[in-house]
Every structure is written in C-alpha cells, then in structure tokens.
Amino acid sequence: MTTLLPVYERDLVIVSGKGALLTDSAGNTYLDFAAGIGVNGLGYGNSKVVSAIKKQASRLIHSSNLYFTEPVTRLADALVKASFPARVFFTNSGTESVEAAIKFARRIGNASGRTELVAFEGGFHGRTMGALSITWKEKYRAPFEPLVPGTRFCPWNDLGAAKGMIGPKTAAVFIEPVQGEGGIRVAPEDFLQGLSDLCRETGALLVSDEVQCGLGRTGALFAYERAHIRPDIVTLAKPLGGGLPLGAVLLREELAGALQVGDHGSTFGGNPVAAAASLVIMDRLTSGGFLGKVEKKGKMLLRNLRAMQRKYPKQIRDVRGLGLMFGIELTGPASPIVAGLRARGILATKAGEKVLRLLPPLVVKRSELRSFLVAFDDVLSKGIGMQLEGGGGAVA
Ligand SMILES: Cc1ncc(COP(=O)(O)O)c(C=O)c1O
C-alpha cells in the first residue's frame, strides 16, 4: 500500500546501483537493460559524476536564472561545441524541452502565420499538453483533449505524405531520428534528408527530438548526424544530467534573435549541480574512442540478436536498432518476456505491447551483454511469451 498516485505499474523497490547493476530492497541484484529508460548512460555510481555533484552541491545548489553560474554556462558552450552554432535553453525534463521547442517554433513562425506542427505516427514527445499534442498514441492523448490545435500526424517514412502536409502554415516538424516509445523504429537516412530538404524549401523548422536517442545512445553523439543533416532545433534530456533532472534545447544561432527576455523561462531549468554532472557526461561522451566502443558493443549485440531471431522465428518477428538502442519485435506480448528476464536477474522494458526494448548503460560490459543473451535465450527456449496456435493467449 502506498500513498503514491498509481500512474505507474511497479513493484520493485530499488535501493542502490553500481555500473550496470541495480539492487532491490530484498538484496536481489539485477543487470539493468533499461538504464532508467535511457537516463543512466554511464551506469550507476560513476565516481566522477558523484564527485562533481558533491563538489558543486557544497559550493552552490541553486541560484535561479536571474544570474549566470559557471557550470551552466560551460555546459551550454560544450553542447554548442559538440553540435552546431546555436543558443541553448535548459529545462528539467524531456517534455519541457519539447514544450520549449514548440514555443520557440511558434515564436519564430507566428509573425509569418506559421502556427501548425507536424509530427509522425508512432512518435512520442512527452506528457505535458503541448508535447502530448504531438504524441501519436490515442490512449495517451484522448483523455486530455482538447489539446493544442493545428497538429498533424504524418505516416512514418512516407516523404510523399510529408510533402502534402508540410507547407507555408507549418511552424515546425518534430521527428525522433529513432523512435523510442514507438517501438525503436530507425528513420532511414534518405527519409531524414528528404524531410530536411522539405523544411528548407517551405521554411518550416526541423526539430530533432533526441531526448531518448541522443547523446551517444545510437553510437553517435546526436542521432541526426547519421543523415548529415542539421536540424534547426534539437531537444535533449534523459542522459544529459547523469541521473539528475536536466534537459536542453539547442536553437540554431540565426533563429535565436526571435526570442526575447520574458518569452520563456523556468525556475529550475539549468541547475548548476545537474550541469556539473552533465559536464562529466559530455566530457566522457566526446572523449576519444567512447562512442566507437558503443557502436562495437551494439554490433556484437545486434549480431547475436539476429542469430536469436533465426533460432526462434516463431517468437521474434524483427530486430532493429542502432548503437545500444534495440527493439525486438515479438509475435506475442512483450510483458511475459520482461517478467521472464526479471526472474533471471535482468531488467528490461517494453516499447508498445509487442516490442522488447533494450537500452543498457552505454558502459555495459561485453560479459554483461553475454549474460543478457544467455538469459534471453533461456526465456525464449521455454516458450515464454509464445503466441499459441489458433489465436489463444500467450504462454506466461
Ligand atoms: C523522444 C522523447 N521525447 C520526449 C520524452 C519525454 O521526456 P520526459 O519523460 O523526460 O518528460 C521522451 C520520454 O520518453 C522521449 O522518449
């Protein structure tokens, strides 16, 4: 019994973490392939992150956005150095980054009558009213309507449809280069390039929502890089603060002049302690060889998952992903597989009903990837989650 509002389905009580491992209140240890839903890129208890937090907390925890602080200014510089000439706005979460991006796009577009937002089928951008308005799943949106008007959903990977939707009224087009909640769907490079061209031709802004797929998750620092495009706006959060709440919006420098004092703000956005942690994260992500290792480990995992698909074709329909962001589309529901893995000491999560989502910490060891594969093989070999012939239920 708990006094917490029951909007999450949960039962485990987590007490500590180290590396890719989490320990619950009963003393059980789990290999965590959810990584705080993509937050704990450097795993748990990273000593440099912990010491940066301690050091900054003892100097200054908060001073408000009425003043500059050194860690926040340095972090903005680090993000711009790693991306493109831009101005940075800090937030506390993914949905707030998206919310800010919507406002910036409106602020910029309103003068020329651009008020509409285009997003994609399967996309997820957050739970606050603006971000929810461009989130695809009916189940999330319907109970809260009416939402922000003038939003349209375009079929995924359909440039023809996008051409029909993006026009002189479009303020911005929001895309996740790899859809997370939508089932780990990788946007093909030519689709991203086509969208970028369409935006340039029509004057709409292109927003790359990298809250889940950004900051090293796909093996590149930013997921848009793969398509050699430069978005107008990038939204970030999840791993940015090393586990502390921190998000950011990068707005292309030439556009930043449209935003004036008072146009937007946030009491906590850009907290110096979170920024100090984030400087460690950015340093690690941009240090030589780190992303190459993510890519290599991802390739090893992908190879093995593909082999697993060949071994269990009745249970695995598709394996897709990039870097260390994978979706395993099953023929039956993913929940029994998640439960089967947990019984074997592995935590993972779903992305939709039939997709098992893997987001291990970027620092996961090869031996830990192998442990996961052994447990996953065991779950599948027992027929767990297998859809029974004749439309019956699933083997639990
Ligand atoms: C692509 C994307 N955008 C936005 C969000 C919202 O982030 P938050 O839960 O931090 O508000 C998420 C969360 O999963 C996400 O995956």
Side-chain angles (χ1 to χ4, degrees):
M1 185 58 189
T2 167
T3 49
L4 288 164
L5 194 69
V7 290
Y8 304 105
E9 203 178 1
R10 56 184 167 185
D11 57 349
L12 277 187
V13 180
I14 300 296
V15 291
S16 64
K18 189 74 201 158
L21 300 176
L22 278 179
T23 303
D24 71 11
S25 55
N28 302 307
T29 295
Y30 303 89
L31 184 52
D32 182 16
F33 269 49
I37 322 184
V39 167
N40 297 292
L42 299 192
Y44 299 95
N46 177 283
S47 60
K48 284 192 177 155
V49 172
V50 172
S51 90
I53 290 172
K54 280 187 184 161
K55 198 165 154 203
Q56 182 56 40
S58 63
R59 289 177 83 182
L60 178 73
I61 294 178
H62 174 85
S63 68
S64 91
N65 281 315
L66 295 174
Y67 316 104
F68 290 114
T69 66
E70 195 223 322
V72 173
T73 316
R74 277 179 53 211
L75 180 60
D77 291 349
L79 285 167
V80 171
K81 188 169 169 227
S83 56
F84 50 84
R87 293 290 177 268
V88 182
F89 179 83
F90 285 112
T91 71
N92 308 283
S93 66
T95 201
E96 281 177 75
S97 294
V98 171
E99 214 64 35
I102 293 173
K103 283 185 72 181
F104 297 167
R106 278 283 191 83
R107 184 73 176 95
I108 293 161
N110 266 347
S112 48
R114 293 176 176 278
T115 55
E116 290 183 2
L117 305 172
V118 172
F120 290 89
E121 292 180 4
F124 182 92
H125 299 285
R127 307 280 195 156
T128 52
M129 295 303 258
L132 188 60
S133 307
I134 51 170
T135 284
W136 165 248
K137 227 187 222 173
E138 183 77 11
K139 186 180 124 191
Y140 294 151
R141 270 185 297 124
F144 304 100
E145 285 170 347
L147 296 169
V148 174
T151 59
R152 310 177 76 180
F153 291 100
C154 181
W156 184 245
N157 194 17
D158 184 343
L159 275 178
K163 204 164 190 172
M165 264 184 212
I166 300 169
K169 287 207 169 309
T170 313
V173 176
F174 282 75
I175 184 154
E176 295 160 81
V178 181
Q179 284 190 338
E181 305 290 321
I184 314 293
R185 295 200 294 173
V186 181
E189 286 172 27
D190 58 351
F191 180 49
L192 290 174
Q193 283 153 2
L195 281 179
S196 171
D197 291 346
L198 267 175
C199 286
R200 202 163 334 109
E201 283 157 22
T202 60
L205 302 183
L206 182 64
V207 183
S208 189
D209 183 349
E210 307 226 359
V211 166
Q212 190 163 152
C213 64
L215 298 174
R217 180 51 64 187
T218 64
L221 190 59
F222 298 102
Y224 68 76
E225 289 172 16
R226 177 173 53 94
H228 308 288
I229 56 165
R230 177 177 293 186
D232 299 294
I233 298 179
V234 178
T235 53
L236 301 168
K238 287 191 186 282
L240 183 63
L244 293 180
L246 182 66
V249 185
L250 312 183
L251 173 64
R252 212 153 41 84
E253 195 173 39
E254 310 91 272
L255 300 167
L259 273 294
Q260 286 156 20
V261 171
D263 275 344
H264 197 45
S266 162
T267 296
F268 285 113
N271 172 279
V273 180
S278 186
L279 282 165
V280 177
I281 304 290
M282 287 303 293
D283 188 49
R284 189 74 191 275
L285 293 180
T286 54
S287 68
F290 185 85
L291 293 175
K293 277 189 208 147
V294 170
E295 207 183 339
K296 276 195 191 133
K297 286 185 284 190
K299 281 193 174 142
M300 176 267 206
L301 187 56
L302 179 62
R303 230 181 9 257
N304 282 281
L305 290 173
R306 290 250 157 90
M308 207 84 94
Q309 184 185 4
R310 286 192 294 277
K311 188 169 171 189
Y312 300 104
K314 287 196 178 142
Q315 284 141 288
I316 299 181
R317 182 167 288 150
D318 192 19
V319 172
R320 49 188 183 246
L322 269 181
L324 282 169
M325 180 174 193
F326 287 104
I328 301 159
E329 189 175 330
L330 305 156
T331 53
S335 293
I337 304 271
V338 170
L341 285 169
R342 181 167 138 186
R344 289 160 180 78
I346 311 267
L347 299 180
T349 178
K350 299 187 297 177
E353 288 314 303
K354 290 189 171 178
V355 178
L356 178 71
R357 172 171 41 170
L358 305 181
L359 300 171
L362 303 180
V363 294
V364 69
K365 298 183 187 126
R366 279 168 182 272
S367 58
E368 291 167 335
L369 295 177
R370 282 192 286 274
S371 301
F372 164 79
L373 289 162
V374 169
F376 190 38
D377 193 323
D378 191 45
V379 169
L380 294 171
S381 72
K382 303 276 185 315
I384 293 172
M386 185 137 74
Q387 206 58 14
L388 296 179
E389 300 287 334
V395 180

